[in-house]
């Protein structure tokens, strides 16, 4: 069953965050992830959000977790976490 990464991000330093993006994309691809939404327009109908929203589909929850904890993505996070506020979760599909 597919699993989806739901990510909402506020970036404080776009240049530094760009280093994260350069590494994160190949890490997603390595684990078979597919970007379904990546920084497009966000319209909030209820509740709140952050400035940037990303949705990534993975084959299953185990693959999604392996991606997140993998060396490639952890290296990317070293650039993202100090310069952003993020909500990152995996949701199992139906």
């Amino acid at each position: 069953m597919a699993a989806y990464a739901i990510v909402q991000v506020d970036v404080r330093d776009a240049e530094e965050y760009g280093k994260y993006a350069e590494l994160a994309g190949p890490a997603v691809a390595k684990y078979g992830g597919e970007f379904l939404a990546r920084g497009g327009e966000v319209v909030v109908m209820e509740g709140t959000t952050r400035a940037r929203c990303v949705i990534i589909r993975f084959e299953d929850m185990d693959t999604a977790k392996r991606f997140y904890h993998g060396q490639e993505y952890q290296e990317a996070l070293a650039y993202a976490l100090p310069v952003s506020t993020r909500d990152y979760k995996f949701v199992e599909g139906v």
Side-chain angles (χ1 to χ4, degrees):
M1 178 177 306
Y4 299 87
I6 310 295
V7 188
Q8 296 176 301
V9 184
D10 287 330
V11 176
R12 294 184 298 279
D13 182 336
E15 184 176 329
E16 195 69 11
Y17 201 82
K19 296 174 186 175
Y20 157 80
E22 288 177 18
L23 296 172
V28 167
K30 177 180 178 179
Y31 289 86
E34 176 187 3
F35 286 99
L36 302 179
R38 193 176 191 184
E41 179 183 9
V42 176
V43 177
V44 177
M45 304 307 287
E46 296 181 28
T48 62
T49 191
R50 298 192 181 279
R52 181 175 174 83
C53 295
V54 178
I55 302 172
I56 308 166
R57 179 176 45 218
F58 290 95
E59 181 179 346
D60 53 40
M61 189 64 79
D62 288 339
T63 303
K65 291 176 185 177
R66 281 197 318 273
F67 151 76
Y68 188 88
H69 294 294
Q71 178 181 352
E72 302 84 0
Y73 192 65
Q74 290 299 304
E75 182 180 340
L77 279 179
Y79 293 101
L81 295 179
V83 298
S84 65
T85 303
R86 299 156 42 98
D87 297 314
Y88 201 118
K89 59 197 69 77
F90 291 124
V91 178
E92 196 167 60
V94 294

